[in-house]
Amino acid sequence: VLYRQASVLGNEEAQERFGSALAYGIGTKKDLVLGYAWLNLAASSQRHSAIEARDALEGLLTREEIEEAQVLSSAWKAGEDIVRPRPKTAMAFSPDEQGLSLAQTGTAFFVTTAGHAVTNFHVVRGCAALRWRGNASLVRVTSTDETSDLALLQLDMATPKHASISRRHGQVRQGDSVVVFGFPLDGVLSPGGNFTVGVISALSGLGNNSGQIQITAAIQSGSSGSPVMDMKGDVVGIVVQKLNDERLLDLTGEVSQNVNFAISGQTLTSFLIANGVSSRRFFPRLFDRKPADIADQAREWTGIVECWR
């Protein structure tokens, strides 16, 4: 409270301390944008520690969030608090009124606390409207990459939990254990999600696609967009497809056994960076975790995205 009061009055040291407290949720509710804004004010007086603290947050914020923070700090006047305006309430989604029906579902997962989520492009392709299961507002598609089969979504909701994308792309090895959490066969399997275990069986995908990896973890219809995680719980890929059994049977006379593919973590990271999104953890995880703990974690930031036509 004292730091906040002193910050409002223009004390630069207090602004730096209060900004850091907001950024990391120390003694107050965490808000990276407000934290950046106060640190930006403190940094304007060339306080080196404030500049370093502000710059350290840039990898945790999107371009839009940084711009918002800069606007807030530039508009500040001594004696005034910095307050973020409430987001506009999204229009409730009523498929009956729009004459739409549910066409398909896929899995998606949050990658920031600002409501950014990712899934496959083929999950959202041709949809008249998208909805996040359990949330009444519409989902917006902000960017797509048809070649990589990725889509970036924006939800009008706070997301305190989000996935951590692995930084260890060059250390992913053939034979590494992986787990998948998603929502396959909607209406048939558990609505609480499905967790499967496997290994990375190849470091390239179908047709030697270097932007994919091959995994043995079981997937089904609706698994598209599911996070593939290493045993630290960090995302190393995103489920994209399984080998078509009927087509393979026609071509070779054999049925595939756990031949599934995921977009690589490197491809996903490049897509997010290109769109100004960062989901890195400030401190990388060092130790493996129990599969049950990873499932509990993934359940908090993974959900079903509905395609309505």
Side-chain angles (χ1 to χ4, degrees):
V1 176
L2 293 177
Y3 281 137
R4 183 178 200 136
Q5 292 174 346
S7 297
V8 169
L9 294 174
N11 184 285
E12 295 160 358
E13 181 181 355
Q15 290 173 346
E16 178 183 346
R17 291 178 179 271
F18 184 46
S20 295
L22 282 165
Y24 299 103
I26 302 173
T28 186
K29 184 178 180 181
K30 182 177 179 179
D31 192 313
L32 288 169
V33 172
L34 285 180
Y36 187 101
W38 283 113
L39 286 169
N40 198 41
L41 278 175
S44 65
S45 61
Q46 300 304 310
R47 288 178 62 87
H48 294 299
S49 55
I51 293 173
E52 291 177 357
R54 179 200 61 189
D55 293 348
L57 295 183
E58 292 190 349
L60 305 175
L61 294 165
T62 65
R63 281 196 299 261
E64 292 80 5
E65 290 170 332
I66 292 174
E67 290 173 0
E68 179 187 356
Q70 290 172 341
V71 169
L72 290 173
S73 60
S74 64
W76 176 82
K77 297 178 181 179
E80 295 182 355
D81 198 355
I82 297 180
V83 180
R84 296 180 71 185
R86 289 186 178 183
K88 296 180 180 179
T89 302
M91 183 180 296
F93 178 62
S94 178
D96 293 336
E97 293 179 2
Q98 299 181 38
L100 302 177
S101 59
L102 181 61
Q104 64 183 33
T105 63
T107 301
F109 58 95
F110 290 113
V111 291
T112 72
T113 58
H116 297 98
V118 292
T119 188
N120 292 142
F121 170 73
H122 73 258
V123 170
V124 303
R125 179 173 47 208
C127 302
L130 294 170
R131 192 184 76 154
W132 186 275
R133 178 74 56 83
N135 185 274
S137 61
L138 286 171
V139 176
R140 290 178 286 119
V141 179
T142 59
S143 182
T144 61
D145 184 335
E146 187 171 358
T147 301
S148 297
D149 203 352
L150 288 169
L152 181 63
L153 312 178
Q154 177 69 63
L155 283 76
D156 293 305
M157 60 184 288
T159 54
K161 302 290 186 180
H162 66 82
S164 171
I165 311 300
S166 174
R167 304 180 186 183
R168 301 175 292 272
H169 302 307
Q171 299 175 32
V172 173
R173 302 173 63 195
Q174 189 175 31
D176 279 349
S177 296
V178 291
V179 294
V180 173
F181 186 89
F183 295 88
L185 300 177
D186 183 43
V188 178
L189 299 182
S190 170
N194 196 265
F195 186 79
T196 58
V197 179
V199 299
I200 296 177
S201 48
L203 296 177
S204 60
L206 195 61
N208 201 31
N209 185 342
S210 60
Q212 296 181 353
I213 57 175
Q214 183 180 327
I215 61 174
T216 63
I219 64 171
Q220 303 292 337
S221 176
S223 293
S224 292
S226 297
V228 180
M229 295 162 283
D230 61 19
M231 301 314 295
K232 293 178 176 60
D234 292 332
V235 174
V236 296
I238 173 171
V239 170
V240 65
Q241 69 179 115
K242 60 183 295 185
L243 203 59
N244 188 304
D245 289 341
E246 293 182 0
R247 190 172 180 183
L248 184 65
L249 184 63
D250 290 340
L251 291 174
T252 67
E254 297 184 10
V255 176
S256 63
Q257 298 291 325
N258 288 340
V259 180
N260 306 312
F261 301 100
I263 300 162
S264 70
Q266 180 65 64
T267 302
L268 175 59
T269 297
S270 298
F271 174 73
L272 294 176
I273 291 175
N275 287 282
V277 176
S278 173
S279 62
R280 297 179 301 170
R281 294 184 64 84
F282 194 72
F283 297 105
R285 297 188 178 103
L286 299 177
F287 304 104
D288 287 357
R289 309 176 70 192
K290 294 180 179 178
D293 292 334
I294 298 175
D296 288 341
Q297 159 203 303
R299 194 177 298 110
E300 295 181 319
W301 40 258
T302 308
I304 297 174
V305 61
E306 300 175 343
C307 171
W308 293 78
R309 298 190 181 116

